[in-house]
Amino acid sequence: MCRMTDTQQRITHWIGGRPWTGTPERTGEVFDPATGAVTARVDLASADTVDEAVASARDAFTGWRRTSLSKRVTVLFEFRRLLAERAGEVAAAITAEHGKVLDDAAGEVQRGLEVVEFACGIPHLLKGGHTPGVSTGVDVHALRQPLGVTAVISPFNFPAMVPLWFVPVAIACGNSVILKPSEKDPSASLLLARLWSEAGLPDGVFTVLHGDKTAVDGLLTHPDVAAVSFVGSTPVARYVYETASAHGKRVQALGGAKNHMVVLPDADLDLAADAAVNAGFGSAGERCMAISALVAVEPVGDALVAKIAERVAGLRVGDGRRGCDMGPLVTAAHRDRVAGYVDAGVAAGAELVADGRKHPVDGEAGGFWLGPTLFDRVTPDMSVYTDEIFGPVLSVLRAASFDEALDLVNASPYGNGTAIFTNDGGAARRFEEEVEAGMVGINVPIPVPVSSYSFGGWKDSLFGDTHAYGPDGVHFFTRTKAVTTRWPDPRDRGIDLGFPQNR
């Protein structure tokens, strides 16, 4: 049961460079996951509010697209400075509403900051090509131009990092952006909005629109929204992609995952056990790049599971502001859903090595707690393996050979990220070449690419043609125009009705 507190506050939209002053038709509750208390109420946008936000962003785009690259970069550099200076404030807001521990929240902000730094290089990234003399007296050059009003729909698990994957690149390219953050942890988005404003970004170029399905559908179908970026579960990603595409929008929709970590017999088992715990239970498993399926290639299964179980037993679960290793889940409903998978795994016959339902907790009884859970001898037909649980549940499967392990990974409908732990360079190279996933780690359990590359998966983990940030991000938020120029010599006169030819 949640309980009300005297410290509740109103969280509202950011439209036209300032907090929204209208009266909401509906609101939602924002919780402190470590206590179960309702700490704020967030305004949920109506269709009229969506129209207001889009109109503001559309008007701002007209001036921003004509702003010189040097002035855009000045804003980006100042935003980067402010974000680095106030990273602790943003991290604290994330922990208070999401529940992840402070160190993890600070790391999230830092990874987002790296994309801001990438976007600061936009003058180089937007350089087009130029070819003189493609025909007699004819030159051709290419240029990239912004799309217009773009929408970013971000998930609850990374309330700062995921928006920072998209927003700085979109703004640097000359677009205006409407961010629809998760209504579960909305405060970080407003801190980012204030930093953009302080950095000198013109009013309306960055908008924060809080809401639920009404807001999402409004953005997906609005005629003045040119493009949509989304991160979330696969069913919703598919819906976003199909709906927005049907309404003529450019879409990149990053979906769910079931990330595998393969451990070969020659691997350093202590290193692998550390990595499995870090990648499986960091942020309470609420990461799209979390390792949720570990494939142990025999004969190392028993030894590896024992090492992981030893480490799991020593994890301190509790309030993320108390220096714990792992915090609560984001809501009571999500905690109950994940706990239901633990029940299902036991019922299906998986060996429950560590039961997160019984793990000691350093936190208030009302918090949304579920400790790290470890299953062994999981089979591919069990729901703890087939479904994206998005919680602190690690399933260990056994494989008799490298080939069997690779086939298991490739049979998954998801293709977000994967990892292999081995000291065999040949095996690592073969895995890199043959595994069907968009991001691969070799002795790296969470292979999130650095900002100069791009983030995204394969198969049911991505809908659309481009990945997030990096070069793909610049391509997504711009469209290419090829310009053919001819300045005729005054001596060249006359009529010629023939088809123009290259000469």
Side-chain angles (χ1 to χ4, degrees), residues 230-242 253-258 388 413-416 458-463:
F230 172 85
V231 178
S233 68
T234 288
V236 182
R238 183 180 286 109
Y239 171 81
V240 166
Y241 178 76
E242 293 175 351
L254 283 67
K258 197 70 182 182
E388 184 187 29
Y414 299 106
N416 200 45
W458 290 9
K459 299 190 285 189
D460 283 353
S461 293
L462 177 71
F463 300 88

Side-chain angles (χ1 to χ4, degrees), residues 9-14 27-33 37-45 89-99 108 152 154-161 163 179-194 206-212 330-331:
Q9 55 184 321
R10 178 188 177 190
I11 299 173
T12 193
H13 318 290
W14 182 273
T27 63
E29 295 176 326
V30 179
F31 293 88
D32 180 342
V38 178
T39 57
R41 300 198 71 87
V42 58
D43 293 347
L44 302 178
E89 182 181 353
V90 179
I94 294 169
T95 296
E97 294 179 351
H98 175 271
E108 167 183 345
V152 175
S154 64
F156 71 80
N157 59 326
F158 286 103
M161 185 182 74
L179 169 64
K180 207 303 286 182
S182 171
E183 65 276 19
K184 296 180 177 67
D185 45 11
S187 291
S189 63
L190 293 176
L191 289 173
L192 296 179
R194 292 186 182 278
F206 180 61
T207 299
V208 177
L209 185 72
H210 300 295
D212 50 15
V330 68
T331 64

Side-chain angles (χ1 to χ4, degrees), residues 262 264 266 402-403 406 410 418-437 440-443 458:
V262 175
L264 297 187
D266 67 293
F402 173 94
D403 287 322
L406 181 62
N410 287 345
T418 187
I420 187 169
F421 276 70
T422 180
N423 286 313
D424 184 335
R429 175 180 287 275
R430 183 182 166 201
F431 187 81
E432 171 189 333
E433 292 178 348
E434 298 183 15
V435 73
E436 296 175 7
V440 181
I442 298 174
N443 298 320
W458 290 9

Side-chain angles (χ1 to χ4, degrees), residues 13 26 44-47 50 153 180 209-221:
H13 318 290
R26 299 175 300 124
L44 302 178
S46 65
V50 174
I153 303 169
K180 207 303 286 182
L209 185 72
H210 300 295
D212 50 15
K213 191 174 187 297
T214 298
V216 171
D217 285 346
L219 294 172
L220 299 183
T221 60

Side-chain angles (χ1 to χ4, degrees), residues 444-470:
V444 175
I446 306 178
V448 176
V450 296
S451 62
S452 53
Y453 284 78
S454 298
F455 179 103
W458 290 9
K459 299 190 285 189
D460 283 353
S461 293
L462 177 71
F463 300 88
D465 298 325
T466 57
H467 291 182
Y469 64 78

Side-chain angles (χ1 to χ4, degrees), residues 130-414:
H130 179 226
T131 306
V134 295
S135 186
T136 303
V138 177
D139 303 333
V140 176
H141 69 276
L143 54 106
R144 291 190 171 275
Q145 294 184 318
L147 305 176
V149 178
T150 62
V152 175
I153 303 169
S154 64
F156 71 80
N157 59 326
F158 286 103
M161 185 182 74
V162 168
L164 290 171
W165 281 357
F166 302 100
V167 174
V169 179
I171 287 177
C173 290
N175 302 281
S176 59
V177 181
I178 299 174
L179 169 64
K180 207 303 286 182
S182 171
E183 65 276 19
K184 296 180 177 67
D185 45 11
S187 291
S189 63
L190 293 176
L191 289 173
L192 296 179
R194 292 186 182 278
L195 296 183
W196 278 115
S197 181
E198 291 180 34
L201 189 69
D203 294 346
V205 176
F206 180 61
T207 299
V208 177
L209 185 72
H210 300 295
D212 50 15
K213 191 174 187 297
T214 298
V216 171
D217 285 346
L219 294 172
L220 299 183
T221 60
H222 201 289
D224 290 332
V225 173
V228 176
S229 300
F230 172 85
V231 178
S233 68
T234 288
V236 182
R238 183 180 286 109
Y239 171 81
V240 166
Y241 178 76
E242 293 175 351
T243 304
S245 296
H247 286 81
K249 306 186 190 313
R250 181 177 293 189
V251 190
Q252 52 181 175
L254 283 67
K258 197 70 182 182
N259 301 314
H260 295 74
M261 173 175 153
V262 175
V263 181
L264 297 187
D266 67 293
D268 182 326
L269 294 190
D270 286 308
L271 176 66
D274 288 343
V277 171
N278 294 338
F281 304 119
S283 195
E286 294 173 328
R287 293 173 176 160
C288 66
M289 289 295 286
I291 292 296
S292 55
L294 189 153
V295 184
V297 178
E298 297 294 26
V300 301
D302 289 346
L304 182 58
V305 169
K307 289 178 179 292
I308 294 172
E310 179 183 2
R311 288 158 171 77
V312 166
L315 291 180
R316 184 182 169 204
V317 176
D319 192 322
R321 293 158 291 208
R322 297 181 182 176
C324 296
D325 300 308
M326 193 185 96
L329 274 70
V330 68
T331 64
H334 186 57
R335 184 268 318 276
D336 294 344
R337 174 183 174 276
V338 176
Y341 275 103
V342 180
D343 298 335
V346 173
E351 181 182 332
L352 185 58
V353 179
D355 188 348
R357 299 167 299 183
K358 300 177 181 178
H359 198 95
V361 172
D362 180 12
E364 296 190 25
F368 309 141
W369 308 112
L370 182 66
T373 298
L374 176 63
F375 278 112
D376 190 14
R377 301 190 183 279
V378 173
T379 57
D381 59 319
M382 297 179 181
S383 63
V384 290
Y385 174 72
T386 59
D387 297 359
E388 184 187 29
I389 298 175
F390 221 64
V393 179
L394 178 62
S395 298
V396 177
L397 299 88
R398 308 293 185 101
S401 66
F402 173 94
D403 287 322
E404 183 180 330
L406 181 62
D407 289 343
L408 182 65
V409 177
N410 287 345
S412 172
Y414 299 106

